Amino acid sequence: MNINIFTRIALIMGAVAAVSLPASAQTTKKISATKASDNGIIYSLPSTALKVTVEVEKVVKQPGDFARYARKYLNLNPVMTPSTQYNLKSVTLNAEGVTVDNEERYMVQFKNGTTPYMILTADNIPLGINVDEESVTATVAANPIPTAVAPQPTILQQPVARQVVTEEMIQAQSTAKRAELAAAKIYELRQSRNDIISGDADNMPSDGKAMQLALDNLAAQEAALTAMFAGTEQHSTEVRTFTIIPEDDDSRTIVCRISATRGIVDDTDLSGDPLWVDVKVVSRGQLPLAESGEVRKFPKGGLAYRIPGNASVDVIYMDNVVCSLQLPMAQLGTVFGVEPGMFVDKKAPAYARFDPTTGSIIELGAR
């Protein structure tokens, strides 16, 4: 399906930093209605963006120097050829409010001599009106995103790999002889471990802590020698987040592609399999009705807010749904308003709190 069914797809490059809390925070600002601003406040109602975080695992396999002798001496199935393999590990879906253009800018005007104020995000999305700045937040509850994991040195890239190479192995004239000596050393290490555990070692460790240290050292040496036969696997993860702003209808697009040999690649790179985002309309926001059953009219000079619709979002990879989310979406809604006079009532001025993802009112009351 044509990817133009989405207004845009923006790629946020690079690995995602560690997040300790499932939230995404923004800075806020307090704007007051003053004579200088004609007693008005300008703000923007957001569109709902989807943030798709893709995590792939990279596995690098390298054969050991003695791979050809792994079956003979250790009865192992070794890595025989170098390889790099990428696999999809997880997909995380979140939503956030974004300002797309100037069409969703509004101005609410208040009576002269009053001083109502709004709390806005840095993008002028409303968070609250007549509420303390400390009591509102631009933090949107979100599903926690994974952190990229760098590759760690394999056992053969650590100092112990050099320490286990004996003088005899260095002096051996052939790989076959070195493999034989390495295998003999492995069985020697295993015997030493058994002797310590059974208490038959000539030089037993002095206490439990010393025993554990000795056993750990023997295990590391055996692992290094075994890797010379079996080979190594090095695991790491790559994490990238894509931001998509859906249109106001059912739609499907490719977020990116995942290549088995290159990881996350561009949506046009046919070396990878596509990761789709499928958006389906569940319901659309409806204007409120009067007691007569007729649609209520937008109040004159009203404070505009959004009545959102709802959407079902599926992420599809290799014909499988790997992640789903049901969420309110601004693009599927409609704009209505409340009387601005209620916010300047001298006896009980009203307050409101807004959802920064959709621009809807989530709380409205009197102070």
Side-chain angles (χ1 to χ4, degrees), residues 82-137:
S83 67
T84 299
Q85 179 75 33
Y86 289 87
N87 299 290
L88 179 65
K89 187 174 182 181
S90 72
V91 176
T92 305
L93 268 175
N94 284 304
E96 76 172 8
V98 297
T99 52
V100 177
D101 48 43
N102 291 327
E103 294 181 5
E104 295 295 333
R105 295 184 68 194
Y106 296 87
M107 180 176 181
V108 57
Q109 285 186 295
F110 301 95
K111 293 179 180 179
N112 290 332
T114 61
T115 56
Y117 60 89
M118 292 184 74
I119 309 300
L120 305 175
T121 69
D123 294 329
N124 292 320
I125 295 172
L127 297 173
I129 182 168
N130 286 348
V131 294
D132 294 334
E133 192 167 3
E134 296 77 15
S135 70
V136 297
T137 175

Side-chain angles (χ1 to χ4, degrees), residues 149-223:
V149 177
Q152 299 299 307
T154 68
I155 189 68
L156 294 182
Q157 295 170 333
Q158 298 176 27
V160 67
R162 297 189 296 272
Q163 297 168 5
V164 295
V165 178
T166 65
E167 186 176 347
E168 284 184 290
M169 292 170 62
I170 294 174
Q171 294 175 348
Q173 298 299 309
S174 67
T175 302
K177 183 60 177 177
R178 286 193 289 273
E180 180 184 348
L181 292 169
K185 182 66 175 179
I186 288 174
Y187 290 111
E188 179 185 324
L189 292 169
R190 291 177 180 176
Q191 185 60 52
S192 296
R193 180 184 61 198
N194 291 335
D195 289 344
I196 292 174
I197 293 173
S198 63
D200 295 332
D202 292 336
N203 297 305
M204 284 294 296
S206 58
D207 54 31
K209 185 176 181 180
M211 176 183 288
Q212 189 60 56
L213 186 63
L215 291 174
D216 290 346
N217 185 48
L218 291 172
Q221 292 183 56
E222 182 181 342

Side-chain angles (χ1 to χ4, degrees), residues 53-70:
T53 300
V54 183
E55 179 188 24
V56 296
E57 182 180 37
K58 179 183 180 181
V59 181
V60 178
K61 295 182 180 181
Q62 292 288 346
D65 291 342
F66 309 140
R68 289 187 297 164
Y69 306 95

Side-chain angles (χ1 to χ4, degrees), residues 234-248:
Q234 192 176 46
H235 293 253
S236 60
T237 60
E238 175 187 358
V239 178
R240 289 169 68 181
T241 297
F242 301 83
T243 300
I244 299 172
I245 305 174
E247 291 281 7
D248 59 354

Side-chain angles (χ1 to χ4, degrees), residues 15-21 23 145-148:
V16 179
V19 175
S20 58
L21 293 174
I145 58 176
T147 302

Side-chain angles (χ1 to χ4, degrees), residues 34-46:
T34 64
K35 186 178 294 186
S37 62
D38 199 20
N39 296 303
I41 299 175
I42 297 174
Y43 61 96
S44 299
L45 291 181

